[in-house]
Amino acid sequence: MAANPIQVVPLRTEAAAPVGTPKLTYRGGPLLASVQVFLFFWGDAWSQDPLPQVVSQLNGFFDFVLTSPLMDQLAEYSVSGFTIGHGARTGSLALTTAPPASVTDADIQSLIQQEIASDSAVPKPSPSSLYFVFLPPGVSVSMSGGASCTTFCGYHSDINSQVFYAVMPYPDCQGCAGSLAVVDALTSTSSHELCEAVTDPVPGQGWYDDANGEIGDICAWQTKKLGAYTVQLEWSNSAGKCV
Ligand SMILES: [Zn+2]
């Protein structure tokens, strides 16, 4: 396991060229074989115009992408016991409690655990579950000494190697949107973290490259159009390039 595995989407301006020839190697940990994604939209702001439209676009994005060629291309990283294939969006939920202007990773973990424990609308974690938490405009999240829009644009992590989640701050800053529309920035970072959570759900214990990080880090902010959506390229060991 890498000592401090990379688990974030870097700022657009800090996406670096890979060191040497990237190669992900498998470290023996779990993978998300048929990922079951549940979305949390935290904060009342998501119910105020124009954000409901973003919510609906993100729901549509996950419905599409989880059965798309983006999942098919991850099949090369299947290992004994974990055959990577199509997934599904199991639902989404607006949480009307207002997050403070800055939240910590611990706050995110508490929220997910409370929701799982207390809300029957939230599926219980399975070995393939992945919870996405989308933050509203104006709310930053800090994790491992960094913060959204300052040092990163999103990340994924785990709770005790059992509950897997990704955090998507609102890209209301130049570093995380640049010339991209908000929805395109969000689908790009979401695809980055989705592919990383599938192939490396416990950061550094799945498919990882000690010099370059996880599958999406090697290709950070290189995007393509898939269907109607902007997604990020991902590293392919078999192709030897970002695809
Ligand atoms: Zn990453």
Side-chain angles (χ1 to χ4, degrees):
M1 160 186 185
N4 285 302
I6 299 169
Q7 59 191 124
V8 305
V9 182
L11 299 183
R12 289 171 61 91
T13 48
E14 288 173 11
V19 176
T21 303
K23 186 168 176 59
L24 299 167
T25 58
Y26 178 55
R27 315 301 167 96
L31 308 178
L32 305 186
S34 178
V35 64
Q36 306 294 299
V37 175
F38 190 85
L39 310 181
F40 291 109
F41 293 92
W42 192 5
D44 226 14
W46 289 106
S47 65
Q48 293 157 21
D49 278 338
L51 294 196
Q53 195 187 338
V54 176
V55 170
S56 120
Q57 285 172 298
L58 288 170
N59 284 331
F61 166 69
F62 279 96
D63 289 342
F64 167 78
V65 83
L66 292 167
T67 57
S68 78
L70 186 68
M71 303 309 296
D72 299 330
Q73 77 187 55
L74 301 180
E76 69 170 285
Y77 299 108
S78 294
V79 297
S80 177
F82 298 99
T83 301
I84 298 173
H86 287 182
R89 182 176 66 91
T90 54
S92 70
L93 187 64
L95 300 170
T96 53
T97 55
S102 73
V103 299
T104 64
D105 184 48
D107 296 331
I108 300 277
Q109 293 196 4
S110 305
L111 179 83
I112 294 169
Q113 287 175 303
Q114 280 168 20
E115 283 297 316
I116 289 169
S118 67
D119 195 335
S120 61
V122 179
K124 301 292 180 226
S126 75
S128 271
S129 295
L130 177 62
Y131 301 91
F132 267 79
V133 178
F134 287 88
L135 297 173
V139 172
S140 74
V141 55
S142 59
M143 192 271 301
S144 291
S148 57
C149 278
T150 306
T151 58
F152 63 78
C153 301
Y155 67 92
H156 77 101
S157 192
D158 66 283
I159 304 172
N160 299 325
S161 302
Q162 287 176 331
V163 176
F164 308 111
Y165 65 98
V167 182
M168 294 290 118
Y170 200 84
D172 47 357
C173 57
Q174 182 67 20
C176 296
S179 57
L180 292 178
V182 160
V183 167
D184 295 333
L186 281 171
T187 57
S188 175
T189 51
S190 293
S191 64
H192 177 130
E193 295 305 339
L194 171 65
C195 293
E196 294 189 338
V198 166
T199 56
D200 193 33
V202 182
Q205 294 188 21
W207 288 92
Y208 198 80
D209 173 330
D210 286 324
N212 295 297
E214 299 178 316
I215 186 170
D217 303 324
I218 301 166
C219 316
W221 291 107
Q222 299 176 44
T223 59
K224 66 182 178 185
K225 217 59 173 174
L226 189 62
Y229 301 99
T230 297
V231 298
Q232 207 203 269
L233 304 190
E234 307 294 334
W235 179 258
S236 167
N237 275 352
S238 62
K241 62 180 183 182
C242 296
V243 296

